[in-house]
Amino acid sequence: MLLVGAAMLPVALLPDLAFGALGRLTPVNYPADWAVVARQVADRPGEVISLPFQEYQRYAWNGGRVVIDPAPRLLSSPVLIDDTLWVGDVAVGKEDPRAAQVRDLLAAGRPLAAMGARWVLVQRASGPAVPVTSLVGLRLAHAGAELTLYENPAWTAPAGRNGPGPVGYAHLLAGTVVLAIGFSGTAQVLRRVVASRHASPAEGEGG
């Protein structure tokens, strides 16, 4: 997609982009904690609450640069982060009702276990400190230099869907199309057979 996007840009802009980013775009290795946490969440899938509860994080291992919270991209389960849209110092948008519930629980210092999420991930990043009372009822699953992962022992899996998933629906649709084509072809053959049978006596009488 990046290549396609670059191909769509005017040629004169490309040198500007290259020189503008020179010295500012550098590769960064994520701490090993992320791989450990990612494996645990993948082995036991469930919603994750990422803390500090803010969309943008600042890490010492990233040179203090501000980046979007990587948890939603590195973890295989849904991740709750703060969806507040800021313009300067003004909050202009908050859409996710579950994110609003997390904000309320944190502000009140109440246990996040009440959210029903399976995991609570606490990152060593700059941001508001996590109230100790917010972690009440959670079980420590991993304690690393950069990440601490807690599991909610009271978590229960959400009710499954009463039907096939997206892949199942795709196969079902494909099968329906094939059957429809098959029935259509069969119906045409039958019509030809019936038509020929009705036509035969008339042809005989005419002879």
Coordinates of all heavy atoms in Angstrom, one line a residue, residues 64-151:
G64 N 12.0 8.7 23.9 CA 11.0 9.6 24.4 C 10.1 10.2 23.4 O 9.4 11.1 23.6
R65 N 10.1 9.6 22.2 CA 9.2 10.0 21.1 C 7.8 9.6 21.4 O 7.5 8.6 21.9 CB 9.7 9.4 19.8 CG 11.1 9.8 19.3 CD 11.4 9.2 18.0 NE 12.8 9.5 17.6 CZ 13.9 8.8 17.9 NH1 13.7 7.7 18.7 NH2 15.1 9.1 17.5
V66 N 6.9 10.5 21.0 CA 5.5 10.2 21.2 C 5.0 9.3 20.0 O 5.2 9.6 18.8 CB 4.6 11.5 21.2 CG1 3.1 11.2 21.3 CG2 5.1 12.3 22.4
V67 N 4.4 8.2 20.4 CA 3.9 7.2 19.3 C 2.5 6.8 19.7 O 2.1 6.8 20.9 CB 4.8 6.0 19.2 CG1 6.1 6.4 18.7 CG2 4.9 5.2 20.5
I68 N 1.7 6.3 18.8 CA 0.4 5.7 19.1 C 0.6 4.4 19.8 O 1.6 3.6 19.5 CB -0.4 5.4 17.8 CG1 -0.7 6.8 17.1 CG2 -1.6 4.6 18.0 CD1 -1.4 6.6 15.8
D69 N -0.2 4.1 20.8 CA -0.1 2.9 21.6 C 0.0 1.7 20.7 O -0.9 1.5 19.9 CB -1.3 2.8 22.5 CG -1.2 1.7 23.6 OD1 -0.5 0.7 23.3 OD2 -1.8 1.8 24.6
P70 N 1.1 0.9 20.8 CA 1.3 -0.2 19.9 C 0.5 -1.4 20.2 O 0.4 -2.4 19.4 CB 2.8 -0.5 20.0 CG 3.2 0.0 21.4 CD 2.3 1.2 21.7
A71 N -0.1 -1.4 21.4 CA -0.8 -2.6 21.9 C -1.9 -3.1 20.9 O -2.0 -4.3 20.6 CB -1.5 -2.4 23.2
P72 N -2.7 -2.3 20.3 CA -3.8 -2.8 19.4 C -3.2 -3.4 18.1 O -3.8 -4.2 17.5 CB -4.6 -1.5 19.0 CG -4.4 -0.6 20.2 CD -2.9 -0.8 20.6
R73 N -1.9 -3.0 17.8 CA -1.3 -3.6 16.6 C -0.4 -4.8 16.9 O -0.3 -5.7 16.0 CB -0.5 -2.5 15.9 CG -1.3 -1.5 15.1 CD -0.6 -0.2 14.9 NE -0.5 0.6 16.2 CZ -1.6 1.2 16.7 NH1 -2.7 1.3 16.0 NH2 -1.5 1.9 17.8
L74 N 0.1 -4.9 18.1 CA 0.9 -6.0 18.4 C 0.2 -7.2 19.1 O 0.8 -8.3 19.1 CB 2.1 -5.6 19.3 CG 3.0 -4.5 18.7 CD1 4.1 -4.1 19.7 CD2 3.7 -5.0 17.4
L75 N -0.9 -7.0 19.6 CA -1.7 -8.0 20.3 C -2.8 -8.5 19.4 O -3.4 -7.7 18.7 CB -2.2 -7.5 21.6 CG -1.2 -7.0 22.6 CD1 -1.9 -6.6 23.9 CD2 -0.1 -8.0 22.8
S76 N -3.1 -9.8 19.5 CA -4.1 -10.4 18.6 C -5.5 -10.3 19.0 O -6.4 -10.6 18.3 CB -3.7 -11.9 18.4 OG -3.7 -12.6 19.7
S77 N -5.7 -9.8 20.3 CA -7.1 -9.6 20.8 C -7.5 -8.1 20.7 O -6.6 -7.3 20.6 CB -7.1 -10.1 22.2 OG -7.1 -11.5 22.3
P78 N -8.8 -7.8 20.8 CA -9.2 -6.4 20.9 C -8.6 -5.7 22.1 O -8.5 -6.3 23.2 CB -10.7 -6.6 21.0 CG -11.1 -7.9 20.5 CD -9.9 -8.8 20.9
V79 N -8.2 -4.5 21.8 CA -7.5 -3.7 22.9 C -8.3 -2.4 23.1 O -8.6 -1.7 22.1 CB -6.0 -3.4 22.5 CG1 -5.4 -2.5 23.6 CG2 -5.2 -4.7 22.3
L80 N -8.6 -2.1 24.3 CA -9.3 -0.9 24.7 C -8.2 0.2 25.0 O -7.4 0.0 25.9 CB -10.2 -1.1 25.9 CG -11.6 -1.6 25.7 CD1 -12.3 -1.9 27.0 CD2 -12.4 -0.5 24.9
I81 N -8.2 1.3 24.3 CA -7.4 2.5 24.6 C -8.3 3.7 24.6 O -9.5 3.6 24.1 CB -6.3 2.7 23.5 CG1 -6.8 2.9 22.1 CG2 -5.3 1.5 23.5 CD1 -5.8 3.2 21.1
D82 N -7.8 4.8 25.1 CA -8.6 6.0 25.2 C -8.8 6.5 23.8 O -7.8 6.8 23.0 CB -7.9 7.0 26.0 CG -8.8 8.2 26.4 OD1 -9.9 8.3 25.9 OD2 -8.4 9.0 27.2
D83 N -10.0 6.7 23.3 CA -10.3 7.2 22.0 C -10.6 8.7 22.0 O -11.1 9.2 21.0 CB -11.5 6.5 21.4 CG -12.8 6.7 22.1 OD1 -12.8 7.2 23.3 OD2 -13.9 6.5 21.5
T84 N -10.2 9.4 23.0 CA -10.5 10.9 23.1 C -9.7 11.6 22.0 O -8.5 11.4 21.9 CB -10.1 11.5 24.4 OG1 -10.8 10.8 25.5 CG2 -10.5 13.0 24.5
L85 N -10.4 12.4 21.2 CA -9.7 13.2 20.1 C -9.4 14.6 20.7 O -10.3 15.3 21.1 CB -10.6 13.2 18.9 CG -10.0 14.1 17.7 CD1 -8.7 13.5 17.2 CD2 -11.1 14.2 16.6
W86 N -8.1 14.9 20.7 CA -7.7 16.2 21.2 C -7.3 17.2 20.1 O -6.6 16.8 19.2 CB -6.5 16.1 22.2 CG -6.9 15.3 23.4 CD1 -6.8 14.0 23.7 CD2 -7.4 15.9 24.6 NE1 -7.2 13.7 24.9 CE2 -7.6 14.8 25.6 CE3 -7.7 17.2 25.0 CZ2 -8.1 15.1 26.9 CZ3 -8.1 17.4 26.3 CH2 -8.3 16.4 27.2
V87 N -7.8 18.4 20.2 CA -7.3 19.5 19.3 C -6.7 20.5 20.3 O -7.4 21.3 20.9 CB -8.4 20.1 18.5 CG1 -7.9 21.3 17.7 CG2 -9.0 19.0 17.6
G88 N -5.4 20.5 20.3 CA -4.7 21.3 21.4 C -5.0 20.8 22.7 O -4.8 19.6 23.0
D89 N -5.6 21.6 23.6 CA -6.0 21.2 24.9 C -7.5 20.9 25.0 O -8.0 20.8 26.1 CB -5.6 22.3 25.9 CG -4.1 22.5 26.0 OD1 -3.4 21.5 25.8 OD2 -3.7 23.6 26.3
V90 N -8.2 20.9 23.9 CA -9.6 20.7 23.9 C -10.0 19.3 23.4 O -9.5 18.9 22.3 CB -10.3 21.7 23.0 CG1 -11.8 21.5 23.0 CG2 -9.9 23.1 23.4
A91 N -10.8 18.6 24.2 CA -11.3 17.2 23.8 C -12.5 17.4 22.9 O -13.5 18.0 23.4 CB -11.6 16.4 25.0
V92 N -12.5 16.9 21.7 CA -13.6 17.2 20.8 C -14.4 15.9 20.4 O -15.4 16.0 19.7 CB -13.1 17.9 19.5 CG1 -12.5 19.2 19.8 CG2 -12.1 17.0 18.8
G93 N -13.9 14.8 20.9 CA -14.6 13.5 20.5 C -14.3 12.4 21.3 O -13.1 12.1 21.7
K94 N -15.3 11.6 21.8 CA -15.2 10.4 22.5 C -16.3 9.5 22.0 O -17.5 9.8 22.3 CB -15.3 10.6 24.0 CG -14.2 11.6 24.6 CD -14.5 11.8 26.1 CE -13.5 12.8 26.7 NZ -13.8 13.1 28.1
E95 N -16.0 8.4 21.4 CA -17.0 7.6 20.8 C -17.3 6.2 21.4 O -18.4 5.8 21.5 CB -16.7 7.4 19.3 CG -16.6 8.7 18.5 CD -16.2 8.4 17.0 OE1 -16.1 7.2 16.7 OE2 -16.2 9.4 16.3
D96 N -16.2 5.6 21.9 CA -16.4 4.2 22.4 C -17.0 4.2 23.8 O -16.3 4.7 24.8 CB -15.0 3.5 22.4 CG -15.1 2.0 22.7 OD1 -16.2 1.6 23.2 OD2 -14.1 1.3 22.4
P97 N -18.2 3.6 24.0 CA -18.7 3.7 25.4 C -18.0 2.8 26.4 O -17.9 3.2 27.5 CB -20.2 3.1 25.1 CG -20.1 2.3 23.8 CD -19.1 3.1 23.0
R98 N -17.3 1.8 25.9 CA -16.5 1.0 26.8 C -15.2 1.8 27.3 O -14.8 1.7 28.4 CB -16.1 -0.4 26.2 CG -17.3 -1.3 26.1 CD -16.9 -2.7 25.6 NE -15.9 -3.4 26.5 CZ -16.2 -3.9 27.6 NH1 -17.4 -3.9 28.2 NH2 -15.2 -4.6 28.3
A99 N -14.7 2.5 26.4 CA -13.5 3.4 26.7 C -14.0 4.4 27.8 O -13.2 4.7 28.7 CB -13.0 4.1 25.5
A100 N -15.2 4.9 27.6 CA -15.7 5.9 28.6 C -15.9 5.2 30.0 O -15.6 5.8 31.0 CB -17.1 6.4 28.2
Q101 N -16.3 3.9 30.0 CA -16.4 3.2 31.3 C -15.1 3.0 32.0 O -14.9 3.2 33.2 CB -17.0 1.8 31.0 CG -18.5 1.9 30.5 CD -19.0 0.5 30.2 OE1 -18.6 -0.5 30.8 NE2 -19.9 0.5 29.2
V102 N -14.0 2.7 31.1 CA -12.7 2.6 31.7 C -12.2 3.9 32.3 O -11.7 4.0 33.4 CB -11.7 2.1 30.6 CG1 -10.2 2.1 31.2 CG2 -12.0 0.7 30.1
R103 N -12.4 5.0 31.6 CA -12.1 6.3 32.1 C -12.8 6.6 33.5 O -12.1 7.1 34.4 CB -12.4 7.4 31.1 CG -11.5 7.5 29.9 CD -11.7 8.8 29.1 NE -13.1 8.8 28.5 CZ -13.3 8.4 27.3 NH1 -12.3 7.9 26.5 NH2 -14.5 8.4 26.8
D104 N -14.0 6.3 33.5 CA -14.8 6.5 34.8 C -14.2 5.7 35.9 O -14.1 6.2 37.1 CB -16.3 6.2 34.6 CG -16.9 7.2 33.6 OD1 -16.4 8.3 33.4 OD2 -18.0 6.9 33.1
L105 N -13.9 4.4 35.6 CA -13.4 3.5 36.7 C -12.1 4.0 37.2 O -11.8 4.0 38.4 CB -13.3 2.1 36.2 CG -14.6 1.4 36.0 CD1 -14.4 0.0 35.3 CD2 -15.4 1.2 37.3
L106 N -11.2 4.4 36.3 CA -9.9 4.9 36.6 C -10.0 6.2 37.5 O -9.3 6.4 38.5 CB -9.0 5.2 35.4 CG -8.5 3.9 34.7 CD1 -7.9 4.3 33.3 CD2 -7.5 3.2 35.5
A107 N -10.9 7.1 37.0 CA -11.1 8.4 37.8 C -11.6 8.1 39.2 O -11.2 8.9 40.1 CB -12.0 9.3 37.0
A108 N -12.4 7.1 39.3 CA -13.0 6.8 40.7 C -12.1 5.9 41.5 O -12.4 5.6 42.6 CB -14.4 6.2 40.5
G109 N -11.0 5.4 40.9 CA -10.1 4.4 41.6 C -10.8 3.1 41.8 O -10.4 2.4 42.8
R110 N -11.8 2.7 41.0 CA -12.5 1.5 41.2 C -11.8 0.4 40.4 O -11.1 0.6 39.4 CB -13.9 1.6 40.8 CG -14.7 2.6 41.7 CD -16.1 2.9 41.1 NE -16.8 1.7 40.9 CZ -17.9 1.6 40.1 NH1 -18.4 2.7 39.5 NH2 -18.5 0.5 40.0
P111 N -12.0 -0.9 40.8 CA -11.4 -2.0 40.1 C -11.8 -2.1 38.6 O -13.0 -2.1 38.3 CB -11.9 -3.3 40.9 CG -12.2 -2.7 42.2 CD -12.8 -1.3 42.0
L112 N -10.8 -2.3 37.8 CA -11.0 -2.5 36.3 C -11.6 -3.9 36.0 O -12.1 -4.1 34.9 CB -9.7 -2.3 35.5 CG -9.2 -0.8 35.5 CD1 -7.8 -0.8 34.8 CD2 -10.2 0.1 34.8
A113 N -11.5 -4.8 37.0 CA -12.1 -6.1 36.8 C -13.6 -6.0 36.4 O -14.2 -6.9 35.8 CB -11.9 -7.0 38.0
A114 N -14.2 -4.9 36.9 CA -15.7 -4.7 36.6 C -16.0 -4.6 35.2 O -17.1 -4.8 34.8 CB -16.2 -3.5 37.4
M115 N -15.0 -4.3 34.3 CA -15.2 -4.1 32.9 C -15.5 -5.4 32.2 O -16.0 -5.5 31.1 CB -14.0 -3.4 32.3 CG -13.9 -1.9 32.5 SD -15.2 -1.0 31.7 CE -15.0 -1.5 30.0
G116 N -15.0 -6.5 32.8 CA -15.2 -7.8 32.2 C -14.1 -8.2 31.2 O -14.2 -9.2 30.5
A117 N -13.1 -7.3 31.0 CA -12.0 -7.6 30.1 C -11.2 -8.7 30.7 O -11.1 -8.9 31.9 CB -11.2 -6.4 29.8
R118 N -10.5 -9.5 29.8 CA -9.7 -10.6 30.3 C -8.3 -10.1 30.9 O -7.8 -10.7 31.8 CB -9.5 -11.7 29.3 CG -8.7 -12.9 29.8 CD -8.8 -14.0 28.8 NE -8.3 -15.3 29.5 CZ -8.4 -16.5 29.0 NH1 -9.0 -16.6 27.8 NH2 -8.0 -17.5 29.6
W119 N -7.8 -9.1 30.2 CA -6.4 -8.7 30.5 C -6.4 -7.2 30.8 O -7.1 -6.4 30.2 CB -5.5 -9.0 29.3 CG -5.4 -10.4 28.9 CD1 -6.1 -10.9 27.8 CD2 -4.7 -11.5 29.4 NE1 -5.8 -12.2 27.7 CE2 -4.9 -12.6 28.7 CE3 -3.8 -11.6 30.5 CZ2 -4.3 -13.8 28.9 CZ3 -3.2 -12.8 30.8 CH2 -3.5 -13.9 30.0
V120 N -5.4 -6.8 31.7 CA -5.1 -5.4 31.9 C -3.6 -5.3 31.7 O -2.8 -6.0 32.4 CB -5.5 -4.9 33.3 CG1 -5.0 -3.5 33.5 CG2 -7.0 -4.9 33.4
L121 N -3.1 -4.5 30.7 CA -1.7 -4.4 30.4 C -1.3 -3.0 30.9 O -1.8 -2.0 30.5 CB -1.5 -4.4 28.9 CG -0.1 -4.2 28.4 CD1 0.9 -5.3 28.9 CD2 -0.1 -4.1 26.9
V122 N -0.3 -3.0 31.8 CA 0.3 -1.8 32.3 C 1.7 -1.6 31.7 O 2.6 -2.4 31.9 CB 0.4 -1.8 33.8 CG1 1.0 -0.5 34.4 CG2 -1.0 -2.0 34.5
Q123 N 1.8 -0.5 30.9 CA 3.1 -0.2 30.3 C 3.9 0.8 31.1 O 3.4 1.7 31.7 CB 2.8 0.4 28.9 CG 1.9 -0.5 28.0 CD 1.7 0.1 26.7 OE1 2.6 0.6 26.0 NE2 0.4 0.1 26.2
R124 N 5.3 0.6 31.0 CA 6.1 1.6 31.6 C 6.3 2.7 30.7 O 7.3 2.8 29.9 CB 7.5 0.9 32.0 CG 8.4 1.8 32.8 CD 9.7 1.1 33.2 NE 9.4 -0.1 34.0 CZ 9.2 -0.2 35.3 NH1 9.2 1.0 36.0 NH2 9.0 -1.3 35.9
A125 N 5.3 3.6 30.6 CA 5.3 4.8 29.7 C 4.9 6.0 30.5 O 4.3 5.9 31.6 CB 4.4 4.5 28.6
S126 N 5.3 7.1 30.0 CA 4.9 8.4 30.7 C 3.4 8.5 30.6 O 2.8 8.3 29.6 CB 5.6 9.6 30.1 OG 5.2 9.7 28.7
G127 N 2.8 8.9 31.7 CA 1.3 9.1 31.7 C 0.8 9.0 33.2 O 1.6 8.8 34.1
P128 N -0.5 9.1 33.3 CA -1.0 9.1 34.7 C -0.7 7.7 35.4 O -0.8 6.7 34.7 CB -2.5 9.3 34.5 CG -2.8 8.9 33.1 CD -1.5 9.3 32.3
A129 N -0.4 7.8 36.6 CA -0.1 6.5 37.4 C -1.4 5.7 37.5 O -2.5 6.3 37.7 CB 0.5 6.9 38.7
V130 N -1.3 4.4 37.5 CA -2.5 3.5 37.6 C -2.8 3.4 39.1 O -1.9 2.9 39.9 CB -2.2 2.2 37.0 CG1 -3.4 1.3 37.2 CG2 -1.8 2.3 35.6
P131 N -4.0 3.8 39.6 CA -4.3 3.6 41.0 C -4.2 2.1 41.4 O -4.6 1.2 40.6 CB -5.8 4.1 41.1 CG -5.9 5.0 39.8 CD -5.1 4.4 38.8
V132 N -3.6 1.9 42.5 CA -3.5 0.5 43.0 C -4.9 -0.2 43.1 O -5.0 -1.4 42.8 CB -2.8 0.5 44.4 CG1 -2.7 -0.9 44.9 CG2 -1.4 1.1 44.3
T133 N -5.9 0.6 43.5 CA -7.2 0.1 43.7 C -7.8 -0.4 42.3 O -8.7 -1.2 42.3 CB -8.2 1.1 44.3 OG1 -8.1 2.3 43.6 CG2 -7.8 1.4 45.7
S134 N -7.3 0.1 41.2 CA -7.8 -0.3 39.9 C -7.4 -1.7 39.5 O -8.1 -2.3 38.7 CB -7.3 0.7 38.8 OG -7.7 2.0 39.0
L135 N -6.4 -2.2 40.2 CA -5.9 -3.6 39.9 C -6.4 -4.6 40.9 O -6.0 -5.8 40.7 CB -4.4 -3.5 39.9 CG -3.7 -2.5 38.9 CD1 -2.2 -2.5 39.1 CD2 -4.1 -2.8 37.5
V136 N -7.2 -4.2 41.8 CA -7.8 -5.2 42.8 C -8.6 -6.2 42.0 O -9.4 -5.9 41.1 CB -8.7 -4.4 43.8 CG1 -9.4 -5.4 44.7 CG2 -7.8 -3.5 44.6
G137 N -8.4 -7.5 42.4 CA -9.1 -8.6 41.9 C -8.5 -9.2 40.6 O -8.9 -10.2 40.1
L138 N -7.3 -8.6 40.2 CA -6.6 -9.2 39.0 C -5.5 -10.0 39.5 O -4.9 -9.8 40.5 CB -6.1 -8.0 38.2 CG -7.2 -7.0 37.6 CD1 -6.5 -5.9 36.8 CD2 -8.2 -7.8 36.7
R139 N -5.1 -11.0 38.6 CA -4.0 -11.9 38.9 C -2.8 -11.5 38.1 O -2.9 -11.3 36.9 CB -4.4 -13.3 38.6 CG -3.3 -14.4 38.9 CD -3.7 -15.8 38.5 NE -4.0 -15.8 37.0 CZ -3.1 -16.0 36.1 NH1 -1.8 -16.2 36.5 NH2 -3.4 -16.1 34.8
L140 N -1.6 -11.4 38.7 CA -0.4 -11.1 38.0 C 0.0 -12.2 37.0 O 0.1 -13.4 37.5 CB 0.7 -10.8 38.9 CG 2.1 -10.4 38.3 CD1 2.0 -9.1 37.6 CD2 3.2 -10.3 39.4
A141 N 0.1 -11.9 35.8 CA 0.4 -13.0 34.8 C 1.9 -12.8 34.2 O 2.5 -13.8 33.8 CB -0.6 -12.9 33.6
H142 N 2.4 -11.5 34.2 CA 3.7 -11.3 33.7 C 4.2 -10.0 34.3 O 3.5 -9.0 34.3 CB 3.8 -11.2 32.2 CG 5.1 -10.7 31.7 ND1 6.2 -11.5 31.6 CD2 5.5 -9.5 31.2 CE1 7.2 -10.8 31.1 NE2 6.8 -9.6 30.8
A143 N 5.4 -10.0 34.8 CA 6.0 -8.8 35.4 C 7.4 -8.6 34.7 O 8.3 -9.4 35.0 CB 6.1 -8.9 36.9
G144 N 7.5 -7.7 33.8 CA 8.8 -7.5 33.1 C 9.3 -6.1 33.3 O 8.7 -5.3 34.0
A145 N 10.4 -5.8 32.6 CA 11.0 -4.5 32.8 C 10.2 -3.4 32.2 O 10.2 -2.2 32.7 CB 12.4 -4.5 32.2
E146 N 9.4 -3.7 31.2 CA 8.6 -2.7 30.5 C 7.1 -2.9 30.6 O 6.4 -1.9 30.5 CB 9.0 -2.7 29.0 CG 10.4 -2.2 28.7 CD 10.7 -0.8 29.0 OE1 9.7 0.0 29.1 OE2 11.8 -0.4 29.3
L147 N 6.7 -4.1 30.7 CA 5.2 -4.4 30.7 C 4.9 -5.3 31.9 O 5.6 -6.2 32.3 CB 4.8 -5.1 29.5 CG 5.1 -4.5 28.1 CD1 4.8 -5.4 27.0 CD2 4.4 -3.1 28.0
T148 N 3.7 -5.0 32.5 CA 3.1 -5.8 33.5 C 1.7 -6.2 33.0 O 0.9 -5.4 32.6 CB 3.0 -5.1 34.9 OG1 4.3 -4.6 35.2 CG2 2.5 -6.1 36.0
L149 N 1.5 -7.5 33.0 CA 0.2 -8.1 32.5 C -0.6 -8.7 33.6 O 0.0 -9.5 34.4 CB 0.5 -9.1 31.4 CG -0.7 -9.7 30.7 CD1 -1.5 -8.6 29.9 CD2 -0.3 -10.8 29.8
Y150 N -1.8 -8.3 33.7 CA -2.7 -8.9 34.7 C -3.9 -9.6 34.0 O -4.4 -9.2 33.0 CB -3.3 -7.8 35.6 CG -2.3 -7.1 36.5 CD1 -1.7 -5.9 35.9 CD2 -1.9 -7.5 37.7 CE1 -0.7 -5.2 36.7 CE2 -1.0 -6.8 38.5 CZ -0.4 -5.7 38.0 OH 0.5 -5.0 38.7
E151 N -4.3 -10.7 34.6 CA -5.4 -11.5 34.1 C -6.6 -11.4 35.1 O -6.4 -11.4 36.3 CB -5.1 -12.9 33.8 CG -6.2 -13.7 33.1 CD -5.7 -15.1 32.7 OE1 -4.6 -15.5 33.1 OE2 -6.4 -15.7 31.9

